[in-house]
Amino acid sequence: MPTFHAADGAELTYTDLGPHGTIPLVFLHGWQADSGTWAIVMERLASRHRTIAIDLRGFGQSNAAPGPYRVENFSDDLSALVAALDLDPLVAIGHSMGAAVAQRFAIDRPDAVEGLVLVAPVPASGVEFSPKVVAMLRGIAGNAANANAWLAQLTYREPPLEIITLMRRAAAAVPVPVALESFDSWRTLDFADDAATIETPTLVLAPEHDNPMTPAFAKANVADVIAGSVFEIVRDSGHYAPLERPDVIAASIERFVDAL
């Protein structure tokens, strides 16, 4: 995979597919994941669109990069990628934690963002979990059995073996300090007032069977916060909609981008 350098010199990796000269679609993955989350969706879109996916700092093949591993730092790294590849303007497309990064980037760099697509999004207000759930999720870090059991709950139906393997490998590659710091970052986010100022055209895609980030949660905490956003429910899908319903996600993205 090609690499670029963040502002602090950290080397981060990305994937770049499709024709240049079109508005770039930049994909951001979620917690305990990597750019492979978007591989199938990117394949569907790359015949017409330039599609780029980054391994966020500490994840995937960027997992040797030093911290901090916080949503704000991930947004800064995206700014560095934009500068390195001359991607301004772009459409930022984020899944879960990556959707929080996309929102932060749209606030930090409104000039650079033509559109936002937020899939199963972590809201700018974070996610309030019970102490028991916080302990469970922190217990995923560095524990393959716990991680695999958790991942099995994130799809509506059991996915093919190759998808299970992709999800498990991505989670296993995340160093424990990265997993813990990034988790504490996104669950305690507090920039909803900033998110309410976003004027970028925004599409929110909420998986029908996501839990606890249900469609009602996504609408109230993300779509209703960003004025004028379009809200769609992804039927027959759990949290990992980009892997479970890639054709639906790709089609929704394509319609949205074509209408910009």
Side-chain angles (χ1 to χ4, degrees), residues 227-248:
S229 62
V230 176
F231 178 79
E232 296 179 6
I233 295 176
V234 182
R235 302 295 178 187
D236 299 327
S237 180
H239 187 71
Y240 263 79
L243 289 171
E244 192 167 24
R245 300 299 308 276
D247 291 337
V248 172

Side-chain angles (χ1 to χ4, degrees), residues 109-123:
R109 293 286 309 278
D111 56 304
V113 186
E114 190 90 356
L116 281 176
V117 180
L118 310 175
V119 183
V122 168

Side-chain angles (χ1 to χ4, degrees), residues 23-29 38 50 52 54 75 78 82 87 89-95 98-107 109 112-119 200-204 253 256-257 260:
I23 185 167
L25 312 183
V26 179
F27 294 84
L28 305 162
H29 63 78
W38 289 111
R50 185 179 184 187
I52 299 163
I54 182 175
S75 175
L78 180 52
V82 170
L87 301 178
L90 58 84
V91 175
I93 303 168
H95 174 243
V101 178
Q103 292 171 76
R104 185 69 257 174
F105 183 74
I107 295 161
R109 293 286 309 278
V113 186
E114 190 90 356
L116 281 176
V117 180
L118 310 175
V119 183
T200 305
T202 300
L203 172 63
V204 178
I253 292 171
F256 175 74
V257 171
L260 290 175

Side-chain angles (χ1 to χ4, degrees), residues 15-254:
T15 301
D16 190 350
L17 304 174
H20 290 212
T22 60
I23 185 167
L25 312 183
V26 179
F27 294 84
L28 305 162
H29 63 78
W31 186 62
Q32 296 299 85
D34 62 21
S35 56
T37 299
W38 289 111
I40 306 173
V41 171
M42 290 172 66
E43 289 173 2
R44 303 294 193 271
L45 294 169
S47 63
R48 292 186 57 213
H49 304 277
R50 185 179 184 187
T51 61
I52 299 163
I54 182 175
D55 278 341
L56 295 171
R57 177 183 295 256
F59 296 84
Q61 294 189 39
S62 300
N63 70 353
Y69 308 106
R70 303 187 60 79
V71 166
E72 297 81 4
N73 302 97
F74 301 147
S75 175
D76 290 343
D77 291 342
L78 180 52
S79 285
L81 177 69
V82 170
L85 300 186
D86 190 21
L87 301 178
D88 181 357
L90 58 84
V91 175
I93 303 168
H95 174 243
S96 194
M97 179 185 75
V101 178
Q103 292 171 76
R104 185 69 257 174
F105 183 74
I107 295 161
D108 296 339
R109 293 286 309 278
D111 56 304
V113 186
E114 190 90 356
L116 281 176
V117 180
L118 310 175
V119 183
V122 168
S125 52
V127 183
E128 185 175 352
F129 295 116
S130 70
K132 180 178 180 180
V133 172
V134 169
M136 182 274 291
L137 291 171
R138 289 178 64 85
I140 288 166
N143 186 310
N146 288 352
N148 292 347
W150 169 70
L151 289 168
Q153 301 174 41
L154 300 185
T155 55
Y156 177 52
R157 297 185 177 91
E158 184 174 352
L161 179 59
E162 60 267 25
I163 299 299
I164 295 173
T165 301
L166 183 155
M167 295 166 66
R168 289 180 174 181
R169 284 178 178 170
V174 183
V176 171
V178 176
L180 295 178
E181 185 175 355
S182 58
F183 171 62
D184 287 339
S185 173
W186 64 256
R187 74 178 177 88
T188 61
L189 290 173
D190 186 20
F191 64 91
D193 288 346
D194 290 340
T197 70
I198 293 174
E199 298 181 351
T200 305
T202 300
L203 172 63
V204 178
L205 298 176
E208 181 181 16
H209 300 285
D210 203 352
N211 186 43
M213 295 190 292
T214 63
F217 176 89
K219 186 174 188 306
N221 293 281
V222 182
D224 289 351
V225 171
I226 302 174
S229 62
V230 176
F231 178 79
E232 296 179 6
I233 295 176
V234 182
R235 302 295 178 187
D236 299 327
S237 180
H239 187 71
Y240 263 79
L243 289 171
E244 192 167 24
R245 300 299 308 276
D247 291 337
V248 172
I249 298 296
S252 293
I253 292 171
E254 191 140 55

